[in-house]
Amino acid sequence: MTRDKIENFAILDFEASSLSLESWPIEIGLSWIDKGAVQTWSSLISPAATWDMNDWSYLSAAVHKIAFSSLACAPSVQVVSQAFLNTLAGRQLVSDAPEFETHWLTRLLHAGGYDEVPSIENFEHISFALYSGYALDMLYETLERRAAPHRAGPDSARLAKSWLKASRF
């Protein structure tokens, strides 16, 4: 496994208003490996005017611990969309929940004024393509030992750290 190969990917995670079909993103996290270290960018997202505020789930908020009131001073969908695309810098997106992440990325980018939405590959599929044997064991052991914090930046970094661990074998 070469470092160059894993540096071509960025792991995406969102926290959202709920898990319904009408849900919208409230936080985005992106992590990647650069020169042997995990780098992470994340941001809260101020809701777009077109998003249904009735879709806010207090159950979801209890999981990610992001209060609705904290979104009022968050960056706009336009600012977050532009920052995301600049940070992505041509890397291939990967997620452990690509269907959900595609939904929220589409909502974010369309609200931010972008028509094109980058594709998102499945973390497990890419992991099995990149690693095997003991390295793959270390990847999943690393994930099992670190609970998901349910915040977009730390969640994406958790997955990237498992790749970094696996790349050492």
Side-chain angles (χ1 to χ4, degrees), residues 10-14 84 92-106 117-123 125-126:
I11 300 170
L12 177 66
D13 191 74
F14 281 101
F84 163 76
Q92 173 61 54
L93 288 171
V94 178
S95 169
D96 61 349
E99 289 180 25
F100 283 104
E101 310 305 359
T102 297
H103 169 74
W104 295 318
L105 182 59
T106 300
V117 178
S119 64
I120 303 172
E121 299 294 325
N122 183 292
F123 176 81
H125 296 162
I126 299 298

Side-chain angles (χ1 to χ4, degrees), residues 24-25 45-53 76-78 107-108 110-112:
W24 34 271
I45 305 164
S46 181
T50 57
W51 295 345
D52 183 0
M53 296 305 109
S76 70
V77 294
Q78 294 83 3
R107 296 222 60 195
L108 173 68
H110 287 177

